[in-house]
Amino acid sequence: MVSPGADLAATVAAYDPRADRALIEAAYDFAAAAHAKQTRENGDPYITHPLAVARILAGYRLDTASILTALLHDTVEDTSVTLAELERRFGADVARLVDGVTKLGRIELQSEHTKQAENFRKLVLAMSEDIRVLLVKLADRLHNMRTLHFVEKPEKRRRVARETSDIYAPLAERIGMDAIKTELEVRAFREIEPDAYQTIVARLAFLRGQGADLIEEIRADMLRVLAADGVEHAEVSGREKSPVSIWLKMKEKKVEFEQLSDIMAFRVLVPDKATCYAALGSVHSHYRVVPGRFKDYISTPKKNGYQSLHTGVTVPARRNAKIEVQIRTPEMHEVADFGVAAHWIYKQGDTAAKDRRRYPWVKDLLEILDNTGNEAQSFMENTKLALHQDQVFCFTPKGELIALPRGATPVDFAYQVHSAVGDACVGAKINGQIKPLRQPLDNGDQVEIITARGGTPNPAWERFVVTGKARARIRRVVLAKQRAETQETGRGAIARAFRQEGIEATSERVERAAKLLKQGGVEELYLTVGAGHISARDVVYAAEPELRGPPRATDTLALTRARGKPGQTVSVPPRRIGDAADGISGLVAGMPVAFAGCCHPIPGDRIVGIVATGKGVTIHRAECATLTQFASTPERFLDVDWDQAAAPNGQHVARLALVATEEGPALSGITIAIGKHGARLSRLKVKHRASDFVEVEVDVEVTDTRHLSNVVAALRACPGVEEVERAKG
């Protein structure tokens, strides 16, 4: 009976006659002995796992070193074997590859506050130093996902599935290994969303039963069409799209399974590039084209080397099914399926040079690696790996991993480390170099925050930070500083006003004035005077009424503030805090307040107050585009919020922007939907009318953002309505 090691060696030798069969058998025997006392979750000997990983790589026709690495990849991590021993028995190349795979295996997605790594930069370096490390790790993860159902603990299965979905599937896609990417996605999806997976699989099985030969019928018709137009030697194959791609499409389009029309994809293989375009013309001339679905990845390949023509058409067979069609050559198909493994072959002489000419991006990567050597900073400047579309992973100088939203800056990083670090931040080093504080961070950056004793946040930071934690802290500290400065201004103004009258501003006089002016205390009185809402002379007259004489010229401004200039029309009458309709916290008592007509804030929105001397405060939504006009005067910003305890369940106006394709039915449905959900339509305006769509602006009266969300959901379900969103001012 042939041993598993000998059988694997024969498989490798079948596609690589130069392979060292004896060394492969020796590696299998060595790994089997090292793992002899270990078993898998299902009770099988542990050696079955590295053997399965090696067979996956053999299916991609990888070199002997990769096969040896697959067999030995867990020996250093899980047994007493050392790297020195591996190097002595199997060579430095294999030992280096095993070390790289071991480092990758140590990276795990942990809770937000305990994300540690030996460090993430080493992970990226290990993967990029030699692409075979990543290929082995992907095969390792693929086999683990195939046997995930043997893991008893549900929380561990979900963690592994989430890690696979978040890290390893995107990595497989990045290097063009579509088959591995798809299988990883599907197996992770089945664990993360089991109900959705079973539902989609059941629906696919039902449709398959209704039209068992539909794919074959379309395939035969497409072959007939291509042959009629003289496209020779074409091969056509069809398949259903994967459950996870169907699920993502349902979420993207916000539709149910039954509303999806393109759940089938067909691939056309033709001999050369010119015939690809001939086949495209044939398909387009015989079937109705779906607009917006054509993409030419042959003239403009993807970064991972993928080339193909993509289009969408409607075929007449059975219910006018919409299908996706991919047209490519066999060479392009090999790259699409195998990705980097299709041409990352470790050869010598002319063959290697030929491969690098055929795949210039491989040459670019090799040059980066050759020029970088062991200089981590240089490598990080030249090659970045985006594991997450919406996150970046950076490091403190001590190696702690910090996860931030994409677009985050060193200021966001500083506040993520600690609020005190953010407050005292005065500069930052990124990968050892001084960089501006507004510099966006990239994956793998090492960030060192430079602090100064007694440092305070700069108000300008709020314009470029992206994390809520940083923005809230900056606003709070800046507003506290501004409040203190405003109070000091008021204190000084009151003291001067008393001196001008020849008396001292004693605490008794100031307290008496604060009470008579209905202020919350002396500090609040200082703040109100400093903000210009009460004159310092009014404080003197409140404390000592006998000093009040004929109206002074200085009182004119106060009267103008309260009553408006003669002949002036006030479009939105200011309301004083304490009115039942306000419900805003963070305002000084007696301060006039109005709601901005540009963005229409309602309870539940994040809001900002803008102070205008003599006019009080205008409340805007935090997302209002009008706020950019005040960027140069951050001292006018006031930190306010909704006082839910004081705010009544009154009606507030929110403005919505809609796009509809059918004006009549859409407008009718809008009014009905708003009324059904307890809101009132107070204004409707057609902003733009075209032949195939109409833009509408409506004002609805609602109680809060939750009420508005229900109204928006109802509007999006109206026939003819394509888009609904809040107007941003």
Side-chain angles (χ1 to χ4, degrees), residues 166-221:
D166 289 347
I167 291 183
Y168 292 102
L171 285 176
E173 182 178 33
R174 175 65 185 86
I175 61 172
M177 303 189 73
D178 186 68
I180 286 184
K181 186 232 18 170
T182 300
E183 186 174 350
L184 289 175
E185 281 184 339
V186 171
R187 292 183 179 277
F189 174 59
R190 181 167 60 186
E191 187 63 44
I192 297 169
E193 299 281 357
D195 293 340
Y197 175 84
Q198 294 298 338
T199 299
I200 293 174
V201 169
R203 290 297 302 163
L204 288 173
F206 175 75
L207 293 179
R208 206 177 298 127
Q210 282 195 322
D213 57 348
L214 181 57
I215 290 179
E216 178 56 31
E217 182 180 330
I218 296 174
R219 190 188 78 85
D221 189 64

Side-chain angles (χ1 to χ4, degrees), residues 26-37 47 50 71-72 75:
Y28 172 82
D29 294 338
F30 182 86
H35 294 294
K37 297 181 180 180
I47 188 60
L71 291 170
L72 303 166
T75 54

Side-chain angles (χ1 to χ4, degrees), residues 23-24 27 63-73 90 94 98:
L23 194 60
I24 293 174
D63 64 334
T64 301
S66 300
I67 304 300
L68 296 175
T69 302
L71 291 170
L72 303 166
H73 75 274
F90 301 102
V94 171
V98 171

